Amino acid sequence: MTTDPVVRPARPADARALAELRWTFKQEDFGGRAPTPARDVAEAERWIRDRLGDGRWLAWVAEGGGGIRGHVFLCLVERMPEPYEDNNAVGYVTNFFVMPAYRNKGVGSALLAALREHARGAGLDGLIVWPSERSAPLYRRLGFLPPEELLELPLGT
C-alpha cells in the first residue's frame, strides 16, 4: 500500500459501498463456500442509508486506492435517566471490517481510533463489542477489556 487510507465519517451516499462490503464481510464467515444470499444487497443499502441519514447509527470508513477499504459502525444505546449518577449512552461497536489487502497495516486501528475519539467527545459511558475470534486481539490491544457486569442471554432458535 503506497498511501495510507483516509478515515472519515460515513455518509448516506456511502450506503451502496458499505452494503457491498457487508456482504463481502459476511461471506468470509463461510470460508469461501458462502450460500446464495437470502436477501438482496439493496436491502442492506436502504437500511444503512436510512440509519446514517437520521443519525440512529454512525460509521467511519477508510478510503484508499479509489474506494472504501474498511469500516466500523456505532449504535448508541440510550440509558434510562437516574437521579444520582450520569446516564450517558453506551456505544455498541459492530460491523468492523477491513479488506484483506489492507489488514495488518494500521487501517483497523485508525478506524477504531476515530470511533473512540468520537465516543469520548460525545461523552459516552463506554463502548461494547462482541468481537470475532480474529478481531478480539485488536480490540484488546486498543484497551477493550472483558466485562465485569455484562451478561448475555442468547435467544437463538
Side-chain angles (χ1 to χ4, degrees), residues 63-69 102:
E63 286 184 313
I68 295 175
R69 304 301 179 213
Y102 289 80

Side-chain angles (χ1 to χ4, degrees), residues 1-8 17 21 61-70 98-99 101-102 105 107:
M1 189 166 60
T2 58
T3 60
D4 292 333
V6 173
V7 174
R8 63 162 175 82
L21 284 174
V61 298
E63 286 184 313
I68 295 175
R69 304 301 179 213
V98 175
M99 296 289 290
Y102 289 80
K105 297 179 181 179
V107 175

Side-chain angles (χ1 to χ4, degrees), residues 128 145-151:
I128 58 172
L145 303 170
E148 294 178 14
E149 299 179 352
L150 184 67
L151 301 175

Side-chain angles (χ1 to χ4, degrees), residues 25 28-29 96-98 103 131-139:
F25 167 39
E28 282 189 358
D29 293 346
F96 175 43
F97 177 72
V98 175
R103 292 179 186 159
S132 67
E133 187 175 318
R134 185 176 64 225
S135 68
L138 173 62
Y139 285 114

Side-chain angles (χ1 to χ4, degrees), residues 13-142:
D14 298 320
R16 181 63 186 200
L18 291 169
E20 289 172 353
L21 284 174
R22 171 76 175 161
W23 262 221
T24 300
F25 167 39
K26 295 312 289 180
Q27 288 172 355
E28 282 189 358
D29 293 346
F30 294 96
R33 290 188 236 129
T36 302
R39 59 189 50 86
D40 189 272
V41 71
E43 182 180 334
E45 179 182 359
R46 284 188 298 276
W47 189 95
I48 291 167
R49 182 178 293 108
D50 289 349
R51 279 147 185 86
L52 291 178
D54 67 15
R56 284 182 280 175
W57 286 71
L58 302 171
W60 288 261
V61 298
E63 286 184 313
I68 295 175
R69 304 301 179 213
H71 55 73
V72 64
F73 282 69
L74 177 68
C75 180
L76 301 181
V77 180
E78 292 183 286
R79 295 173 55 201
M80 295 290 296
E82 65 177 87
Y84 307 110
E85 295 182 21
D86 289 337
N87 62 316
N88 297 342
V90 172
Y92 168 48
V93 180
T94 189
N95 198 40
F96 175 43
F97 177 72
V98 175
M99 296 289 290
Y102 289 80
R103 292 179 186 159
N104 300 312
K105 297 179 181 179
V107 175
S109 295
L111 283 164
L112 289 174
L115 183 148
R116 187 167 57 186
E117 182 179 326
H118 170 83
R120 281 194 173 126
L124 298 187
D125 198 40
L127 297 172
I128 58 172
V129 64
W130 279 273
S132 67
E133 187 175 318
R134 185 176 64 225
S135 68
L138 173 62
Y139 285 114
R140 286 188 192 101
R141 279 195 310 273
L142 295 176

